Structure formats: C-alpha cells, structure tokens
Amino acid sequence: MELYYSIGEVAKLTNISIQTLRYYDQIGLFKPSYVDKKTNYRYYKDSQLYYLDIIKSLKYVGTSLEEIKAAQQFTPVQLLTFLEQQESVIEDQINRLIEIQQSLFKSKKQMQEQIAINVFNEVYEKHEEAIRILTIAPEKLNASYIPNSYYSSLLKTLEIENTTISSRYGCMFKYASYRNIEEITYDHIFTPLLTDRYITNLTPEMDVQTTPEGRYICIAFKFTEVMYFEQYQKLRHYIEENQLSVIPIVYEIFMPTNYAPNETDEFIVELKVKLT
C-alpha cells in the first residue's frame, strides 16, 4: 500500500521548507500526488521523494530550477550528458575562483611590498621574485610625461581577456648616463599580470615578458620631475661607485598612495636595477 505524506511531513523528511515545496508546485517542478478538494491540502506519495533527491542534488551543484525542470524529461543517457556539461561548468567556476584567489594573493603582496618601503631617497638592496608583465612599446616617450592612452591600451587588453587588473604600472628604460629627465626614453610601459592566464589578444606593440628573479639595487621616492632625475642619479652613482655589475635595464614602478578620485594625485616611484 502506497504511503502518503502531508506537505509538512515532506518538509520534515526532506529538510525543504513548506514555502519552497509550494513554490515547486506552482512552477510545475514538483507537484503533489493529489490535492484534497475540500481542504486544499497537498499530499505526496512516498515514491515521489526520490525526485526531490534529484532536484536537491542538481540544485547543490548550481543548476537553475529551469534547467532542473528540463532535465526531468531526460532519458538516462541524456541525463548523463547533462551532468557532464554541469561538471564542465563547475570546473570553469573553480578555475575562475582559483584565478581570483591568485590575483588577491598577488595584489596583497604588492601592497605589502609597498608598505614595507621604509627608506626613501636612499639606495637599498632587496630580493625580487619573477613577475609576469604585460608590456607595450611606446614611441619616443620619456619620463616627464606618459599619455594615459598607453595605460588605457593595457587596461583594455586585460578587460577583453576578462582577467584581473592591477592598480600598479611601470616602465623600462636603458641603464645609462643621462644629462636630464628628457633624455630618459622608455622602451616599454607595463602592468603586472595577477594571474597565470595566457594572454591572447595582443596588439603588435604588446608582449608578455617576465622580470627576472634575483637581487636588485633600488631607490624609492615621492614623484616629482626634479626628484625623479635626482634619485636616478643617486642610484647610478651608488652602482658606479661600488663597481656593481648590473643588467642594463631600469625597472620603474609607479605606486599610488591614495585611491580616492577627489584626492591630490601622489605616487611613490621605485627605480630598480638587477644585479648580475
């Protein structure tokens, strides 16, 4: 003999609220076996509870109620295909969450490094890990002015790739003797990549590079044009005076000190050159 349960009993047996069961009935996802015409009470067969298990299982993995309703009409073969598709969706979501976690870790690390700078206008040495960067080659650009269009191009590329954007930018130029800031010409402008994702939508001027791991000679300061050249000269003098062997590339990192649009722009600049 078939057992029947009231909606309250089904709610207790399945840990699904009465309101949810009524909603499932309303949308045709899980209807009672019969409704008493006098009392309007809903009653469910014991064998029906199996279908609630399927609904709960599919809902648990993020399947929408619409998709669950469609899946109720599937054959076992079709249901297997559907589950494989759901598995693929979940894998994509997991990979996306891993990327987000990775970008948060790298963003935190960048902030920790910035906060850890406690020596300004003096040369210091530190160890740097290898960092993937998205670069763009500018045309005859120097340190006195960088048009926002270059940064916008990097930003647009990362948005197209649907990947996380760093708030940090940098430039690269040749380590050499200069007479003034106008002579410092950038070879590349870049932004750090916060994930390991392969970048596909590159313009001809763009590239993905990796800054080398190792010891760097550095100097940090609050940016002004006058201060910039003075600090570069100080860094170069230290390297030459101590007869240090370096790779002849200067990495310049711009770090904002505030993020409010109505505040006065203020940046910390770190210049660094890798020791060989």
Side-chain angles (χ1 to χ4, degrees), residues 3-239:
L3 289 175
Y4 285 87
Y5 301 106
S6 69
I7 192 170
E9 290 171 325
V10 172
K12 288 179 180 178
L13 286 169
T14 61
N15 198 31
I16 298 176
S17 71
I18 291 174
Q19 291 83 356
T20 299
L21 288 169
R22 285 175 178 158
Y23 180 65
Y24 286 175
D25 180 12
Q26 181 185 333
I27 65 175
L29 182 65
F30 184 73
K31 300 187 75 65
S33 179
Y34 81 93
V35 178
D36 190 310
K37 293 180 180 179
K38 293 181 180 179
T39 63
N40 207 32
Y41 288 167
R42 295 169 173 84
Y43 291 95
Y44 299 84
K45 288 182 181 180
D46 183 60
S47 57
Q48 281 184 275
L49 302 190
Y50 164 76
Y51 298 103
L52 273 180
D53 290 338
I54 295 175
I55 291 170
K56 289 170 71 175
S57 296
L58 290 174
K59 192 178 176 185
Y60 178 76
V61 298
T63 309
S64 69
L65 295 181
E66 254 184 49
E67 290 176 309
I68 294 173
K69 191 174 178 182
Q72 289 176 331
Q73 310 303 318
F74 290 164
T75 65
V77 172
Q78 289 172 323
L79 184 58
L80 174 61
T81 301
F82 177 77
L83 291 175
E84 288 172 344
Q85 292 170 346
Q86 293 299 299
E87 184 179 31
S88 179
V89 169
I90 296 300
E91 285 176 357
D92 289 342
Q93 291 174 348
I94 290 171
N95 290 335
R96 180 63 178 160
L97 287 172
I98 290 172
E99 275 197 350
I100 293 171
Q101 183 185 45
Q102 187 181 60
S103 66
L104 284 172
F105 174 79
K106 290 185 178 180
S107 294
K108 281 173 53 184
K109 196 169 190 308
Q110 286 179 355
M111 293 306 302
Q112 288 165 349
E113 289 172 352
Q114 178 174 336
I115 294 168
I117 297 174
N118 55 12
V119 177
F120 288 89
N121 309 325
E122 297 293 337
V123 178
Y124 56 91
E125 184 178 334
K126 70 173 181 177
H127 181 271
E128 288 270 348
E129 294 179 357
I131 301 172
R132 288 177 74 234
I133 57 175
L134 176 64
T135 71
I136 185 169
E139 294 182 6
K140 298 180 180 178
L141 205 63
N142 63 46
S144 60
Y145 175 66
I146 305 173
N148 281 327
S149 58
Y150 286 105
Y151 296 136
S152 297
S153 296
L154 296 173
L155 178 65
K156 184 178 179 181
T157 297
L158 294 179
E159 285 178 337
I160 291 171
E161 295 287 342
N162 194 29
T163 190
T164 311
I165 297 165
S166 173
S167 62
R168 184 174 290 190
Y169 292 94
C171 302
M172 297 157 60
F173 61 89
K174 292 179 179 63
Y175 173 76
S177 176
Y178 299 103
R179 291 173 296 180
N180 51 58
I181 192 171
E182 285 76 21
E183 288 188 350
I184 299 176
T185 303
Y186 292 133
D187 297 314
H188 295 93
I189 295 171
F190 67 86
T191 187
L193 293 172
L194 299 180
T195 73
D196 295 330
R197 180 183 295 198
Y198 183 76
I199 306 297
T200 56
N201 296 282
L202 297 176
T203 66
E205 300 82 19
M206 289 184 182
D207 191 17
V208 174
Q209 301 184 34
T210 301
T211 63
E213 180 179 6
R215 301 299 296 177
Y216 284 77
I217 296 296
C218 314
I219 194 165
F221 53 93
K222 291 184 178 179
F223 175 78
T224 67
E225 283 192 29
V226 173
M227 184 66 75
Y228 186 104
F229 192 67
E230 285 181 0
Q231 299 306 306
Y232 175 71
Q233 292 286 71
K234 187 181 292 185
L235 178 68
R236 180 171 168 76
H237 176 73
Y238 182 92
I239 291 170

